[in-house]
Amino acid sequence: MKYVLMNQEMQEVDQETIHQIGIPGLVLMERASEAVADCARRRTGRSGKILVIAGIGNNGGDALAAARILLEEDYQTDYMIVGKTEKASEDLKTQLQILKRLGYEPVKEPDLTDYDLLIEGIFGVGLSREVGGIYRDMIETINASGRVVIAIDIPSGISGNTGKVMGCAVKAAETVTFGGYKRGHLLYPGREYCGKVTLAGIGFHKQTIEKHASGFTLEDPAGLMPPRSSYSNKGTYGKILMITGSETMSGAAAFAGEAALRMGAGLVKILSHSSNRPILQSRLPEILFGERSDLKESLEWCSCILFGPGTGVNEETKEMLEYILNHGTKPLILDADGLNTVSRYHMEIHYPYGVVMTPHLMEGARLLGRDISEVKDDICGAACEIAEKYHAAAVLKDAATVVAQSQEKLYINQSGNHGMAAGGSGDVLAGMITGLVGTGCRPYDAAVRGVYLHGLAGDAARDEKGAYSMIASDILHHIQDVTGGKHESVLPGACSH
Protein backbone atom coordinates (compact mmCIF):
# COMPACT_ATOMS: atom_id res chain seq x y z
CA MET A 1 0.00 0.00 0.00
CA LYS A 2 1.22 3.51 -0.87
CA TYR A 3 -0.38 6.70 0.38
CA VAL A 4 -1.88 9.35 -1.92
CA LEU A 5 -2.05 13.00 -0.91
CA MET A 6 -3.70 16.20 -2.05
CA ASN A 7 -1.58 19.35 -2.41
CA GLN A 8 -2.63 20.79 0.95
CA GLU A 9 -1.99 17.45 2.67
CA MET A 10 1.54 17.34 1.26
CA GLN A 11 2.14 20.88 2.53
CA GLU A 12 0.99 19.76 5.98
CA VAL A 13 3.43 16.84 5.88
CA ASP A 14 6.18 19.22 4.83
CA GLN A 15 5.41 21.74 7.57
CA GLU A 16 5.12 19.13 10.33
CA THR A 17 8.41 17.54 9.25
CA ILE A 18 10.24 20.86 9.29
CA HIS A 19 8.69 22.69 12.25
CA GLN A 20 7.61 19.91 14.62
CA ILE A 21 9.93 17.00 13.88
CA GLY A 22 12.82 19.35 13.17
CA ILE A 23 14.29 18.23 9.85
CA PRO A 24 15.37 21.45 8.07
CA GLY A 25 13.76 22.23 4.74
CA LEU A 26 17.15 22.45 3.02
CA VAL A 27 17.93 18.91 4.18
CA LEU A 28 14.72 17.65 2.59
CA MET A 29 15.54 19.62 -0.55
CA GLU A 30 19.01 18.10 -0.73
CA ARG A 31 17.62 14.59 -0.44
CA ALA A 32 14.96 15.30 -3.06
CA SER A 33 17.59 16.70 -5.40
CA GLU A 34 19.76 13.63 -4.93
CA ALA A 35 16.81 11.45 -5.99
CA VAL A 36 16.37 13.59 -9.12
CA ALA A 37 20.09 13.42 -9.86
CA ASP A 38 20.00 9.65 -9.46
CA CYS A 39 17.20 9.48 -12.03
CA ALA A 40 19.29 11.60 -14.41
CA ARG A 41 22.27 9.27 -13.95
CA ARG A 42 20.09 6.34 -14.97
CA ARG A 43 18.75 8.20 -17.98
CA THR A 44 22.03 9.42 -19.46
CA GLY A 45 25.76 8.74 -19.32
CA ARG A 46 28.48 11.30 -18.75
CA SER A 47 28.65 11.96 -22.47
CA GLY A 48 25.04 13.18 -22.48
CA LYS A 49 24.20 16.85 -22.07
CA ILE A 50 21.67 17.86 -19.39
CA LEU A 51 19.65 21.07 -19.08
CA VAL A 52 17.94 21.86 -15.78
CA ILE A 53 14.94 24.23 -16.13
CA ALA A 54 13.92 25.79 -12.82
CA GLY A 55 10.98 27.93 -11.83
CA ILE A 56 11.20 30.41 -8.97
CA GLY A 57 9.53 28.33 -6.23
CA ASN A 58 10.83 25.48 -4.10
CA ASN A 59 10.32 23.07 -7.00
CA GLY A 60 12.91 25.18 -8.79
CA GLY A 61 15.11 24.95 -5.71
CA ASP A 62 15.04 21.16 -6.01
CA ALA A 63 16.01 21.54 -9.67
CA LEU A 64 18.96 23.84 -8.96
CA ALA A 65 20.26 21.58 -6.19
CA ALA A 66 20.07 18.63 -8.61
CA ALA A 67 22.03 20.68 -11.16
CA ARG A 68 24.73 21.34 -8.56
CA ILE A 69 25.01 17.66 -7.63
CA LEU A 70 25.41 16.68 -11.28
CA LEU A 71 27.90 19.47 -12.00
CA GLU A 72 30.04 18.46 -9.04
CA GLU A 73 30.11 14.93 -10.46
CA ASP A 74 31.31 16.29 -13.84
CA TYR A 75 28.11 15.65 -15.75
CA GLN A 76 27.70 18.07 -18.67
CA THR A 77 24.98 20.17 -17.08
CA ASP A 78 23.57 23.62 -17.68
CA TYR A 79 20.77 25.33 -15.81
CA MET A 80 18.33 28.15 -16.48
CA ILE A 81 15.66 29.95 -14.46
CA VAL A 82 12.19 30.79 -15.75
CA GLY A 83 10.75 33.84 -13.98
CA LYS A 84 12.04 36.82 -12.02
CA THR A 85 14.54 35.75 -9.37
CA GLU A 86 13.70 38.74 -7.16
CA LYS A 87 10.31 37.06 -6.61
CA ALA A 88 11.85 33.66 -5.92
CA SER A 89 11.43 31.61 -2.74
CA GLU A 90 14.17 31.88 -0.13
CA ASP A 91 15.21 28.27 -0.66
CA LEU A 92 15.62 28.83 -4.40
CA LYS A 93 17.68 31.98 -3.76
CA THR A 94 19.88 29.94 -1.44
CA GLN A 95 20.44 27.25 -4.08
CA LEU A 96 21.19 29.87 -6.74
CA GLN A 97 23.73 31.60 -4.49
CA ILE A 98 25.49 28.28 -3.85
CA LEU A 99 25.74 27.57 -7.58
CA LYS A 100 27.14 31.02 -8.31
CA ARG A 101 29.67 30.81 -5.45
CA LEU A 102 30.88 27.57 -7.00
CA GLY A 103 31.29 29.35 -10.33
CA TYR A 104 28.25 27.94 -12.13
CA GLU A 105 26.27 30.63 -13.93
CA PRO A 106 22.86 30.11 -15.56
CA VAL A 107 22.47 29.99 -19.34
CA LYS A 108 20.07 32.28 -21.19
CA GLU A 109 17.84 31.28 -24.11
CA PRO A 110 19.46 27.87 -24.71
CA ASP A 111 18.49 25.69 -27.67
CA LEU A 112 16.82 22.73 -25.99
CA THR A 113 17.59 20.47 -28.93
CA ASP A 114 21.30 20.75 -28.03
CA TYR A 115 20.63 18.61 -24.95
CA ASP A 116 20.00 14.90 -24.46
CA LEU A 117 18.04 15.21 -21.19
CA LEU A 118 15.87 17.94 -19.69
CA ILE A 119 15.08 18.19 -15.97
CA GLU A 120 12.09 20.46 -15.31
CA GLY A 121 11.12 21.97 -12.00
CA ILE A 122 9.00 24.94 -12.99
CA PHE A 123 5.87 24.60 -10.83
CA GLY A 124 5.46 21.22 -9.11
CA VAL A 125 2.23 20.48 -7.26
CA GLY A 126 1.59 24.05 -6.11
CA LEU A 127 0.00 25.21 -9.37
CA SER A 128 -3.51 26.58 -8.82
CA ARG A 129 -4.31 28.49 -12.05
CA GLU A 130 -4.01 28.16 -15.82
CA VAL A 131 -0.48 28.34 -17.21
CA GLY A 132 0.24 31.43 -19.29
CA GLY A 133 2.92 33.88 -20.43
CA ILE A 134 6.58 32.88 -20.38
CA TYR A 135 5.73 29.68 -18.52
CA ARG A 136 3.39 28.47 -21.22
CA ASP A 137 6.01 29.34 -23.84
CA MET A 138 8.66 27.32 -21.97
CA ILE A 139 6.42 24.29 -21.49
CA GLU A 140 5.51 24.29 -25.18
CA THR A 141 9.21 24.60 -26.07
CA ILE A 142 10.05 21.65 -23.82
CA ASN A 143 7.39 19.49 -25.45
CA ALA A 144 8.40 20.54 -28.96
CA SER A 145 12.07 19.68 -28.33
CA GLY A 146 11.47 15.94 -28.50
CA ARG A 147 13.96 15.41 -25.69
CA VAL A 148 13.63 13.03 -22.74
CA VAL A 149 12.19 14.94 -19.77
CA ILE A 150 12.41 14.25 -16.05
CA ALA A 151 9.74 16.14 -14.08
CA ILE A 152 10.29 17.04 -10.44
CA ASP A 153 7.33 16.12 -8.20
CA ILE A 154 4.73 16.41 -11.00
CA PRO A 155 4.93 17.63 -14.61
CA SER A 156 4.45 21.38 -14.57
CA GLY A 157 0.94 22.27 -15.70
CA ILE A 158 -0.74 19.22 -14.15
CA SER A 159 -3.04 19.74 -11.16
CA GLY A 160 -1.77 17.72 -8.25
CA ASN A 161 -5.32 17.32 -6.95
CA THR A 162 -7.23 16.29 -10.07
CA GLY A 163 -4.74 15.35 -12.80
CA LYS A 164 -6.25 18.03 -15.06
CA VAL A 165 -4.10 19.92 -17.57
CA MET A 166 -4.03 23.57 -16.48
CA GLY A 167 -3.85 25.06 -19.97
CA CYS A 168 -0.74 23.16 -21.01
CA ALA A 169 1.62 20.72 -19.30
CA VAL A 170 5.03 19.11 -19.65
CA LYS A 171 5.04 15.60 -21.09
CA ALA A 172 7.59 13.70 -19.03
CA ALA A 173 9.28 10.36 -19.54
CA GLU A 174 9.70 10.03 -15.78
CA THR A 175 8.46 11.92 -12.74
CA VAL A 176 10.32 11.82 -9.43
CA THR A 177 8.04 12.56 -6.49
CA PHE A 178 8.56 12.58 -2.75
CA GLY A 179 6.88 11.16 0.34
CA GLY A 180 3.69 9.89 -1.30
CA TYR A 181 1.86 9.91 -4.60
CA LYS A 182 -0.27 12.91 -5.45
CA ARG A 183 -3.73 12.37 -6.94
CA GLY A 184 -2.56 13.96 -10.18
CA HIS A 185 -0.02 11.17 -10.66
CA LEU A 186 -2.76 8.53 -10.73
CA LEU A 187 -5.75 10.29 -12.33
CA TYR A 188 -6.08 10.94 -16.04
CA PRO A 189 -4.95 12.83 -18.03
CA GLY A 190 -2.13 13.64 -15.59
CA ARG A 191 -1.17 10.00 -15.35
CA GLU A 192 -0.23 9.97 -19.04
CA TYR A 193 1.86 13.14 -18.70
CA CYS A 194 3.87 11.74 -15.78
CA GLY A 195 5.42 8.80 -17.60
CA LYS A 196 7.05 6.47 -15.11
CA VAL A 197 6.49 7.71 -11.55
CA THR A 198 9.36 7.13 -9.13
CA LEU A 199 8.47 7.58 -5.45
CA ALA A 200 11.52 8.64 -3.44
CA GLY A 201 11.85 8.66 0.33
CA ILE A 202 13.59 11.87 1.43
CA GLY A 203 13.00 11.90 5.19
CA PHE A 204 9.25 12.26 5.68
CA HIS A 205 8.18 9.92 8.47
CA LYS A 206 5.72 7.21 7.45
CA GLN A 207 3.38 8.00 10.34
CA THR A 208 3.31 11.68 9.35
CA ILE A 209 2.36 10.80 5.78
CA GLU A 210 -0.28 8.32 6.95
CA LYS A 211 -1.82 10.88 9.31
CA HIS A 212 -2.31 13.51 6.61
CA ALA A 213 -2.99 11.38 3.52
CA SER A 214 -6.63 11.06 2.46
CA GLY A 215 -5.98 8.32 -0.10
CA PHE A 216 -4.00 5.23 -0.97
CA THR A 217 -3.20 2.89 -3.84
CA LEU A 218 -2.16 -0.76 -4.11
CA GLU A 219 0.89 -2.05 -5.95
CA ASP A 220 1.15 -5.70 -4.86
CA PRO A 221 -1.49 -8.46 -4.96
CA ALA A 222 0.13 -10.46 -2.17
CA GLY A 223 -2.16 -10.89 0.81
CA LEU A 224 -5.32 -9.56 -0.81
CA MET A 225 -7.30 -12.80 -0.93
CA PRO A 226 -9.14 -13.94 2.21
CA PRO A 227 -7.49 -16.89 3.97
CA ARG A 228 -8.85 -20.40 3.50
CA SER A 229 -8.82 -23.27 5.94
CA SER A 230 -8.30 -26.98 5.36
CA TYR A 231 -11.16 -27.57 7.79
CA SER A 232 -13.94 -25.99 5.70
CA ASN A 233 -16.78 -26.69 3.31
CA LYS A 234 -18.67 -24.87 0.56
CA GLY A 235 -20.79 -23.04 3.12
CA THR A 236 -17.65 -21.62 4.71
CA TYR A 237 -16.96 -19.44 1.67
CA GLY A 238 -20.28 -17.76 1.23
CA LYS A 239 -23.73 -18.30 -0.23
CA ILE A 240 -24.02 -15.64 -2.90
CA LEU A 241 -27.35 -14.54 -4.30
CA MET A 242 -27.37 -12.80 -7.69
CA ILE A 243 -30.43 -11.15 -9.19
CA THR A 244 -29.15 -10.73 -12.74
CA GLY A 245 -30.19 -11.08 -16.35
CA SER A 246 -33.53 -10.70 -18.14
CA GLU A 247 -35.37 -12.51 -20.89
CA THR A 248 -32.96 -11.38 -23.58
CA MET A 249 -29.82 -10.90 -21.47
CA SER A 250 -28.01 -13.90 -20.00
CA GLY A 251 -24.42 -12.74 -20.51
CA ALA A 252 -24.25 -10.41 -17.51
CA ALA A 253 -25.45 -13.20 -15.21
CA ALA A 254 -22.89 -15.62 -16.64
CA PHE A 255 -19.98 -13.19 -16.29
CA ALA A 256 -20.87 -12.17 -12.74
CA GLY A 257 -21.59 -15.72 -11.60
CA GLU A 258 -18.37 -17.18 -12.92
CA ALA A 259 -16.32 -14.27 -11.55
CA ALA A 260 -17.68 -14.86 -8.05
CA LEU A 261 -16.90 -18.57 -8.27
CA ARG A 262 -13.38 -17.83 -9.54
CA MET A 263 -12.86 -15.58 -6.50
CA GLY A 264 -13.46 -18.55 -4.23
CA ALA A 265 -17.18 -18.31 -3.47
CA GLY A 266 -18.63 -21.55 -2.11
CA LEU A 267 -22.12 -21.32 -3.61
CA VAL A 268 -23.67 -18.99 -6.18
CA LYS A 269 -27.40 -18.84 -6.79
CA ILE A 270 -28.70 -16.82 -9.75
CA LEU A 271 -32.26 -15.59 -9.93
CA SER A 272 -33.14 -14.76 -13.50
CA HIS A 273 -35.75 -15.20 -16.21
CA SER A 274 -36.70 -18.84 -16.80
CA SER A 275 -35.44 -18.65 -20.39
CA ASN A 276 -31.91 -18.25 -19.04
CA ARG A 277 -31.91 -21.52 -17.07
CA PRO A 278 -30.59 -23.79 -19.88
CA ILE A 279 -28.01 -21.22 -21.00
CA LEU A 280 -26.62 -20.52 -17.53
CA GLN A 281 -26.66 -24.09 -16.25
CA SER A 282 -25.01 -25.26 -19.44
CA ARG A 283 -22.27 -22.66 -19.17
CA LEU A 284 -21.99 -22.78 -15.36
CA PRO A 285 -23.14 -26.15 -14.02
CA GLU A 286 -21.71 -25.13 -10.64
CA ILE A 287 -24.45 -22.55 -9.99
CA LEU A 288 -27.86 -22.88 -8.44
CA PHE A 289 -30.68 -21.39 -10.50
CA GLY A 290 -33.95 -19.84 -9.41
CA GLU A 291 -36.58 -17.49 -10.71
CA ARG A 292 -37.44 -14.07 -9.36
CA SER A 293 -40.38 -15.47 -7.44
CA ASP A 294 -37.81 -17.22 -5.22
CA LEU A 295 -36.50 -13.91 -3.83
CA LYS A 296 -37.97 -14.08 -0.31
CA GLU A 297 -36.66 -17.58 0.39
CA SER A 298 -33.29 -16.80 -1.20
CA LEU A 299 -32.75 -13.70 0.96
CA GLU A 300 -32.97 -15.90 4.05
CA TRP A 301 -30.46 -18.36 2.54
CA CYS A 302 -27.74 -16.04 1.28
CA SER A 303 -24.73 -14.35 2.88
CA CYS A 304 -24.52 -11.47 0.34
CA ILE A 305 -26.48 -10.12 -2.63
CA LEU A 306 -25.62 -8.79 -6.09
CA PHE A 307 -28.46 -6.91 -7.76
CA GLY A 308 -28.72 -5.39 -11.21
CA PRO A 309 -26.52 -6.69 -14.05
CA GLY A 310 -28.79 -7.13 -17.07
CA THR A 311 -32.06 -6.98 -15.14
CA GLY A 312 -33.56 -4.09 -17.07
CA VAL A 313 -35.11 -0.99 -15.52
CA ASN A 314 -38.85 -1.38 -14.92
CA GLU A 315 -41.46 -1.63 -12.20
CA GLU A 316 -40.65 -5.26 -11.45
CA THR A 317 -36.97 -4.43 -10.94
CA LYS A 318 -37.92 -1.50 -8.71
CA GLU A 319 -40.22 -3.67 -6.59
CA MET A 320 -37.55 -6.34 -6.15
CA LEU A 321 -34.96 -3.80 -5.09
CA GLU A 322 -37.39 -2.20 -2.65
CA TYR A 323 -38.10 -5.62 -1.15
CA ILE A 324 -34.35 -6.26 -0.69
CA LEU A 325 -33.81 -2.86 0.91
CA ASN A 326 -36.73 -3.43 3.29
CA HIS A 327 -36.20 -7.11 4.12
CA GLY A 328 -32.58 -7.99 3.33
CA THR A 329 -30.08 -8.50 6.14
CA LYS A 330 -26.87 -9.18 4.19
CA PRO A 331 -24.39 -6.94 2.30
CA LEU A 332 -25.71 -5.66 -1.04
CA ILE A 333 -23.79 -4.91 -4.23
CA LEU A 334 -25.65 -2.69 -6.70
CA ASP A 335 -24.47 -2.67 -10.31
CA ALA A 336 -25.71 -1.64 -13.77
CA ASP A 337 -29.53 -1.66 -13.91
CA GLY A 338 -29.68 -1.79 -10.13
CA LEU A 339 -28.03 1.64 -10.14
CA ASN A 340 -30.20 2.87 -13.00
CA THR A 341 -33.27 1.80 -11.05
CA VAL A 342 -32.12 3.84 -8.06
CA SER A 343 -31.58 6.96 -10.17
CA ARG A 344 -34.69 6.61 -12.36
CA TYR A 345 -37.06 6.15 -9.41
CA HIS A 346 -35.17 8.55 -7.10
CA MET A 347 -34.77 5.85 -4.48
CA GLU A 348 -33.12 6.57 -1.17
CA ILE A 349 -30.81 4.00 0.36
CA HIS A 350 -30.49 3.54 4.11
CA TYR A 351 -29.39 -0.08 4.25
CA PRO A 352 -27.51 -0.90 7.46
CA TYR A 353 -25.87 -4.15 6.34
CA GLY A 354 -23.36 -2.67 3.90
CA VAL A 355 -23.75 -1.46 0.31
CA VAL A 356 -21.33 -1.33 -2.61
CA MET A 357 -22.34 0.72 -5.67
CA THR A 358 -20.36 0.28 -8.90
CA PRO A 359 -21.33 3.04 -11.37
CA HIS A 360 -19.43 4.05 -14.49
CA LEU A 361 -19.26 7.80 -15.12
CA MET A 362 -22.67 8.12 -16.79
CA GLU A 363 -24.38 6.07 -14.09
CA GLY A 364 -22.57 8.16 -11.49
CA ALA A 365 -23.85 11.34 -13.11
CA ARG A 366 -27.42 9.98 -13.03
CA LEU A 367 -27.09 9.05 -9.35
CA LEU A 368 -25.97 12.59 -8.53
CA GLY A 369 -28.36 14.33 -10.92
CA ARG A 370 -25.38 16.02 -12.54
CA ASP A 371 -23.88 16.39 -16.00
CA ILE A 372 -21.24 13.81 -16.85
CA SER A 373 -18.70 16.56 -17.57
CA GLU A 374 -18.92 17.64 -13.92
CA VAL A 375 -18.21 14.09 -12.79
CA LYS A 376 -15.23 13.84 -15.13
CA ASP A 377 -13.82 17.12 -13.81
CA ASP A 378 -13.59 15.76 -10.26
CA ILE A 379 -13.96 11.99 -10.17
CA CYS A 380 -12.72 11.80 -6.58
CA GLY A 381 -15.21 14.38 -5.38
CA ALA A 382 -18.02 12.66 -7.29
CA ALA A 383 -17.21 9.28 -5.76
CA CYS A 384 -17.26 10.80 -2.29
CA GLU A 385 -20.62 12.45 -3.02
CA ILE A 386 -22.15 9.16 -4.13
CA ALA A 387 -20.81 7.44 -1.03
CA GLU A 388 -22.26 10.12 1.25
CA LYS A 389 -25.60 10.40 -0.54
CA TYR A 390 -26.32 6.67 -0.60
CA HIS A 391 -24.46 5.57 2.56
CA ALA A 392 -22.36 3.15 0.50
CA ALA A 393 -18.93 2.23 -0.74
CA ALA A 394 -18.86 3.91 -4.17
CA VAL A 395 -16.79 2.35 -6.96
CA LEU A 396 -16.71 5.07 -9.64
CA LYS A 397 -15.37 3.31 -12.72
CA ASP A 398 -13.05 5.09 -15.13
CA ALA A 399 -9.60 4.54 -16.62
CA ALA A 400 -8.44 5.18 -13.05
CA THR A 401 -11.25 3.80 -10.89
CA VAL A 402 -11.86 5.44 -7.50
CA VAL A 403 -13.37 3.77 -4.41
CA ALA A 404 -14.82 6.02 -1.71
CA GLN A 405 -16.64 5.55 1.57
CA SER A 406 -17.22 7.85 4.52
CA GLN A 407 -14.52 7.54 7.20
CA GLU A 408 -12.24 5.55 4.85
CA LYS A 409 -9.25 6.68 2.85
CA LEU A 410 -9.97 7.19 -0.83
CA TYR A 411 -8.60 4.43 -3.06
CA ILE A 412 -7.25 5.29 -6.55
CA ASN A 413 -6.57 2.27 -8.75
CA GLN A 414 -3.51 1.87 -10.98
CA SER A 415 -4.05 -1.59 -12.47
CA GLY A 416 -5.89 -2.30 -15.72
CA ASN A 417 -5.69 -1.09 -19.31
CA HIS A 418 -7.76 0.23 -22.23
CA GLY A 419 -8.33 -3.29 -23.57
CA MET A 420 -10.81 -3.72 -20.71
CA ALA A 421 -13.12 -1.12 -22.30
CA ALA A 422 -15.37 -3.89 -23.62
CA GLY A 423 -18.83 -5.23 -22.87
CA GLY A 424 -18.97 -7.57 -19.88
CA SER A 425 -15.92 -6.20 -18.05
CA GLY A 426 -18.11 -4.44 -15.50
CA ASP A 427 -20.13 -7.61 -14.88
CA VAL A 428 -16.89 -9.45 -14.14
CA LEU A 429 -15.88 -6.74 -11.66
CA ALA A 430 -19.26 -6.88 -9.92
CA GLY A 431 -18.92 -10.63 -9.57
CA MET A 432 -15.38 -10.38 -8.22
CA ILE A 433 -16.39 -7.84 -5.58
CA THR A 434 -19.40 -9.95 -4.61
CA GLY A 435 -17.22 -13.04 -4.37
CA LEU A 436 -14.89 -11.25 -1.96
CA VAL A 437 -17.79 -10.08 0.21
CA GLY A 438 -19.15 -13.62 0.24
CA THR A 439 -15.83 -15.08 1.34
CA GLY A 440 -15.45 -12.72 4.28
CA CYS A 441 -14.35 -9.21 3.27
CA ARG A 442 -15.97 -6.04 4.49
CA PRO A 443 -17.82 -4.38 1.58
CA TYR A 444 -15.42 -1.42 1.28
CA ASP A 445 -12.33 -3.62 1.35
CA ALA A 446 -13.91 -6.06 -1.10
CA ALA A 447 -14.50 -3.13 -3.44
CA VAL A 448 -10.87 -1.98 -3.21
CA ARG A 449 -9.41 -5.45 -3.62
CA GLY A 450 -11.85 -6.41 -6.35
CA VAL A 451 -11.04 -3.32 -8.42
CA TYR A 452 -7.29 -3.87 -8.12
CA LEU A 453 -7.40 -7.61 -8.85
CA HIS A 454 -9.83 -7.06 -11.74
CA GLY A 455 -7.31 -4.68 -13.29
CA LEU A 456 -4.46 -7.14 -12.79
CA ALA A 457 -6.49 -9.90 -14.46
CA GLY A 458 -7.15 -7.48 -17.31
CA ASP A 459 -3.43 -6.77 -17.60
CA ALA A 460 -2.73 -10.50 -17.80
CA ALA A 461 -5.41 -10.84 -20.50
CA ARG A 462 -3.84 -8.00 -22.47
CA ASP A 463 -0.42 -9.63 -22.24
CA GLU A 464 -1.85 -12.84 -23.68
CA LYS A 465 -4.41 -11.56 -26.23
CA GLY A 466 -3.42 -7.95 -26.87
CA ALA A 467 -5.47 -4.89 -25.97
CA TYR A 468 -7.39 -4.94 -29.26
CA SER A 469 -8.39 -8.60 -29.14
CA MET A 470 -9.10 -9.26 -25.47
CA ILE A 471 -12.72 -9.67 -24.32
CA ALA A 472 -14.41 -9.97 -20.94
CA SER A 473 -14.10 -13.76 -20.97
CA ASP A 474 -10.32 -13.35 -21.11
CA ILE A 475 -10.42 -11.36 -17.87
CA LEU A 476 -12.36 -14.22 -16.28
CA HIS A 477 -9.78 -16.74 -17.44
CA HIS A 478 -6.96 -14.76 -15.84
CA ILE A 479 -8.54 -14.32 -12.40
CA GLN A 480 -6.61 -17.46 -11.46
CA ASP A 481 -3.35 -15.59 -12.14
CA VAL A 482 -4.03 -12.94 -9.49
CA THR A 483 -5.76 -14.86 -6.70
CA GLY A 484 -3.08 -17.40 -5.78
CA GLY A 485 -0.16 -17.12 -3.40
CA LYS A 486 0.08 -15.67 0.08
CA HIS A 487 -2.91 -15.12 2.35
CA GLU A 488 -1.58 -12.60 4.86
CA SER A 489 -3.88 -9.57 5.02
CA VAL A 490 -2.43 -6.18 4.11
CA LEU A 491 -5.54 -4.27 5.20
CA PRO A 492 -5.91 -5.04 8.91
CA GLY A 493 -9.27 -6.47 9.91
CA ALA A 494 -10.59 -6.49 6.34
CA CYS A 495 -11.62 -10.12 6.16
CA SER A 496 -13.09 -12.56 8.62
CA HIS A 497 -15.12 -15.72 8.71
Side-chain angles (χ1 to χ4, degrees):
M1 184 194 318
K2 300 290 185 183
Y3 291 105
V4 181
L5 301 103
M6 297 184 71
N7 296 346
Q8 179 61 34
E9 293 164 355
M10 191 64 236
Q11 292 172 8
E12 291 167 356
V13 170
D14 200 59
Q15 291 302 306
E16 182 172 322
T17 301
I18 295 169
H19 298 295
Q20 295 183 32
I21 296 175
I23 300 175
L26 285 174
V27 171
L28 298 173
M29 183 170 283
E30 193 74 10
R31 290 177 176 175
S33 302
E34 180 57 48
V36 174
D38 184 60
C39 180
R41 296 183 194 105
R42 289 189 282 103
R43 288 278 178 178
T44 187
R46 292 184 183 276
S47 60
K49 291 186 66 178
I50 302 170
L51 176 64
V52 175
I53 305 167
I56 57 174
N58 284 350
N59 193 249
D62 293 338
L64 293 188
R68 169 174 47 79
I69 291 168
L70 292 167
L71 282 163
E72 291 294 279
E73 294 177 357
D74 296 323
Y75 281 85
Q76 298 181 68
T77 305
D78 291 328
Y79 73 93
M80 65 177 293
I81 298 174
V82 185
K84 297 179 180 180
T85 54
E86 59 268 25
K87 296 182 178 180
S89 71
E90 291 304 313
D91 283 349
L92 182 131
K93 290 177 179 177
T94 298
Q95 296 296 344
L96 181 58
Q97 289 171 359
I98 294 171
L99 279 165
K100 289 185 173 182
R101 287 170 186 158
L102 293 171
Y104 303 122
E105 294 291 333
V107 296
K108 296 182 179 180
E109 299 184 3
D111 183 349
L112 273 57
T113 62
D114 289 340
Y115 297 89
D116 301 290
L117 178 67
L118 308 178
I119 299 174
E120 79 86 7
I122 301 173
F123 292 127
V125 297
L127 184 66
S128 59
R129 62 181 183 275
E130 295 273 303
V131 177
I134 60 172
Y135 299 105
R136 186 182 188 99
D137 292 341
M138 178 51 65
I139 288 173
E140 290 176 347
T141 301
I142 290 170
N143 289 339
S145 72
R147 296 301 182 255
V148 174
V149 180
I150 297 171
I152 299 176
D153 213 6
I154 200 166
S156 291
I158 295 296
S159 166
N161 284 342
T162 67
K164 289 175 60 177
V165 176
M166 309 292 281
C168 67
V170 171
K171 295 178 180 177
E174 186 166 354
T175 297
V176 183
T177 193
F178 318 110
Y181 292 117
K182 316 311 177 291
R183 290 186 180 183
H185 295 138
L186 308 182
L187 298 171
Y188 287 94
R191 186 157 150 183
E192 289 188 315
Y193 281 75
C194 289
K196 175 186 177 184
V197 180
T198 297
L199 181 58
I202 63 170
F204 297 120
H205 195 267
K206 182 179 178 181
Q207 290 180 355
T208 303
I209 295 171
E210 181 180 3
K211 179 172 72 174
H212 292 285
S214 59
F216 73 103
T217 190
L218 295 174
E219 296 183 330
D220 185 353
L224 294 184
M225 293 301 294
R228 295 177 74 90
S229 170
S230 297
Y231 187 58
S232 59
N233 57 62
K234 60 190 177 185
T236 308
Y237 302 112
K239 298 174 181 178
I240 292 174
L241 175 63
M242 295 186 171
I243 299 93
T244 61
S246 58
E247 187 173 2
T248 59
M249 295 186 67
S250 62
F255 286 131
E258 183 172 349
L261 289 167
R262 296 290 180 190
M263 293 300 287
L267 289 167
V268 172
K269 182 177 184 179
I270 295 178
L271 302 189
S272 191
H273 192 275
S274 58
S275 64
N276 290 327
R277 180 188 294 271
I279 300 170
L280 293 175
Q281 292 196 315
S282 173
R283 175 167 175 171
L284 291 173
E286 297 87 353
I287 67 164
L288 303 172
F289 186 89
E291 297 185 22
R292 294 182 177 186
S293 57
D294 298 330
L295 179 59
K296 180 179 179 180
E297 176 186 350
S298 299
L299 283 181
E300 297 171 357
W301 167 85
C302 72
S303 55
C304 70
I305 309 152
L306 170 62
F307 185 91
T311 58
V313 181
N314 49 50
E315 285 293 332
E316 182 188 13
T317 306
K318 171 178 173 284
E319 290 171 5
M320 292 184 72
L321 180 53
E322 286 177 335
Y323 188 87
I324 292 169
L325 293 173
N326 290 325
H327 300 282
T329 58
K330 306 295 167 50
L332 171 64
I333 294 82
L334 286 173
D335 182 53
D337 286 337
L339 301 168
N340 294 328
T341 299
V342 170
S343 56
R344 177 175 294 186
Y345 294 100
H346 306 289
M347 298 174 69
E348 295 185 0
I349 295 179
H350 298 279
Y351 188 76
Y353 305 102
V355 179
V356 179
M357 304 179 79
T358 59
H360 55 56
L361 296 185
M362 180 59 78
E363 291 165 343
R366 293 188 194 115
L367 288 167
L368 293 173
R370 306 251 296 273
D371 189 85
I372 190 171
S373 62
E374 297 179 70
V375 175
K376 286 182 177 179
D377 278 347
D378 185 8
I379 186 172
C380 294
C384 291
E385 279 192 59
I386 293 169
E388 291 289 339
K389 181 176 180 178
Y390 295 100
H391 311 283
V395 179
L396 190 50
K397 297 182 291 191
D398 193 28
T401 293
V402 172
V403 184
Q405 182 166 310
S406 178
Q407 308 303 316
E408 300 283 357
K409 290 187 185 296
L410 186 80
Y411 173 72
I412 303 176
N413 190 53
Q414 295 187 76
S415 64
N417 61 85
H418 55 80
M420 300 173 73
S425 293
D427 303 315
V428 174
L429 173 60
M432 292 178 72
I433 292 171
T434 308
L436 284 166
V437 174
T439 52
C441 284
R442 292 192 304 137
Y444 170 76
D445 295 304
V448 169
R449 295 169 182 225
V451 166
Y452 179 59
L453 294 172
H454 178 252
L456 289 185
D459 288 339
R462 175 204 55 199
D463 293 345
E464 181 192 14
K465 301 290 188 180
Y468 289 97
S469 298
M470 62 180 285
I471 57 177
S473 294
D474 298 320
I475 303 173
L476 277 173
H477 297 157
H478 284 281
I479 291 175
Q480 64 185 28
D481 298 332
V482 301
T483 56
K486 301 174 183 177
H487 302 309
E488 180 184 357
S489 177
V490 296
L491 300 178
C495 293
S496 62
H497 293 290

